Amino acid sequence: MARSSLTDRLVDLRRGYTGENLSQAVPAVRAALHADDVRRRVAAALDGVGTARGLVLPDAEDDAQRALECVVFQAGTDAGAHLQLRPPASMLRPAHAFRAAEPGPLSRLHLTGYALGPLLFELLPREEDGWLAGVPGLRTRQHPRSLELVLLDTEASVVFAGVDARRFAEGMDYVRTLMTGRGLTGVFVDGPLSAAERDHLAEFPRPTGLGSALLRRPHLFADTPWVRSWSQGDTWWVEWPESVGVTGVVDRLLDPVFGFANVREVPGVAGGLGLSDGWRELFLRVVDGPDPAHEEALAAADWPEGVTGWGRTT
């Protein structure tokens, strides 16, 4: 028999966006519905009267949190290329970095099994012979059962759940293996903002925009093999291979309860669809998928050092 309470209905809907389990989603939904006016507004929106976006699935509350979540989202999609090359390499196997998100004032993320090393490679700032890799101003704080990412001089925070000191060390093994293979000898930046980081930010400000809201909704793309993204300022482009249709994703991002706040559909590019809130834009499209006929050769390839940080039998 189908569950009928408002809470249960919202829990099921929220999990379709975040990938949370019941023990994570139920308390969050109950807390959101604590105020009677919120409950009435959400119930009305579910019945097609008005909207209640941001109440049951909140978005980032300030620019710093949004910026941090945007760079983490970007790192997550970039990590997909690393995950595709994990032996046996495959373009068809799911290559997502994030399994679930617990969105609140801050974001708590649950990683897929092999994602930590690639994420650390993409995120941790290091100075490499005149250029800066990683995210300037990002620092980590190790907790007993999690790793916290912060931006210097802000309150912004993203937590990687389940990443203890041992798992962090394993992730760094991947980073160092890949750096060695590529002949990189850079020094990881710690402490206050370095001169190199300051110069980099002056030339390349951190991305903002709707990438943060996508980070909080990772389950939207659970049925795609991978997702690619890139950004310029407040504008994002996101694509994935044929699997989940663009129209279905856009419809869910326009949902009156769980969609993006204050957005409307706008003309897309290259056959896709777009969303905008007037100054931030997101363009989504589906691209041709990989050819399954190439999978056997890809899996058998002997990758030279520097292409991948995985061991041959990872």
Side-chain angles (χ1 to χ4, degrees), residues 11-308:
V11 165
D12 288 344
L13 290 170
R14 174 170 159 139
R15 292 179 67 204
Y17 287 81
T18 65
E20 294 165 295
N21 60 35
L22 286 173
S23 66
Q24 294 157 354
V26 170
V29 170
R30 286 177 175 166
L33 296 179
H34 182 70
D36 289 340
D37 59 331
V38 170
R39 177 179 287 270
R40 286 193 295 269
R41 184 176 168 188
V42 170
L46 288 174
D47 290 336
V49 180
T51 65
R53 295 171 183 151
L55 299 179
V56 183
L57 200 168
D59 287 318
E61 295 180 350
D62 58 45
D63 290 342
Q65 184 66 30
R66 189 175 299 110
L68 177 57
E69 293 182 7
C70 280
V71 296
V72 173
F73 174 72
Q74 181 70 69
T77 60
D78 290 346
H82 298 254
L83 294 169
Q84 288 171 331
L85 294 181
R86 182 177 63 82
S90 171
M91 296 294 114
L92 299 178
R93 181 181 62 217
H96 300 294
F98 305 118
R99 175 172 52 84
E102 296 180 67
L106 310 176
S107 282
R108 184 176 179 87
L109 303 174
H110 299 264
L111 311 187
T112 56
Y114 295 91
L116 180 60
L119 284 168
L120 294 176
F121 181 83
E122 299 294 340
L123 286 167
L124 296 183
R126 65 181 191 275
E127 296 183 13
E128 290 279 0
D129 192 24
W131 57 280
L132 186 80
V135 178
L138 183 141
R139 301 293 186 266
T140 63
R141 296 172 183 162
Q142 185 66 64
H143 300 284
R145 295 182 179 86
S146 64
L147 182 71
E148 184 181 12
L149 311 180
V150 299
L151 283 182
L152 288 176
D153 304 320
T154 77
E155 298 298 318
S157 172
V158 168
V159 173
F160 287 173
V163 178
D164 58 15
R166 179 189 60 80
R167 191 174 171 194
F168 177 77
E170 292 172 351
M172 289 303 297
D173 286 343
Y174 174 90
V175 174
R176 294 190 178 95
T177 297
L178 188 53
M179 289 177 63
T180 299
R182 294 182 178 181
L184 300 174
T185 58
V187 177
F188 290 99
V189 184
D190 200 2
L193 195 70
S194 71
E197 289 178 302
R198 191 174 295 107
D199 291 344
H200 189 278
L201 286 171
E203 186 174 0
F204 305 105
R206 297 186 186 101
T208 58
L210 297 173
S212 164
L214 289 176
L215 180 74
R216 291 171 172 241
R217 296 164 171 82
H219 206 61
L220 283 174
F221 302 107
D223 292 330
T224 67
W226 45 261
V227 175
R228 298 281 185 267
S229 71
W230 61 100
S231 65
Q232 182 176 353
D234 296 324
T235 301
W236 283 83
W237 293 265
V238 177
E239 65 183 25
W240 59 92
E242 292 175 316
S243 49
V244 177
V246 171
T247 301
V249 172
V250 168
D251 286 346
R252 296 184 70 187
L253 294 178
L254 291 172
D255 183 86
V257 177
F258 292 96
F260 293 171
N262 304 315
V263 299
R264 58 185 176 83
E265 188 173 338
V266 297
V269 294
L273 296 174
L275 295 171
S276 174
D277 65 2
W279 59 281
R280 297 177 296 183
E281 294 180 315
L282 168 65
F283 296 103
L284 305 144
R285 69 171 184 169
V286 169
V287 297
D288 291 338
D291 187 345
H294 297 159
E295 285 289 287
E296 184 176 353
L298 187 65
D302 187 12
W303 303 102
E305 288 188 0
V307 174
T308 171

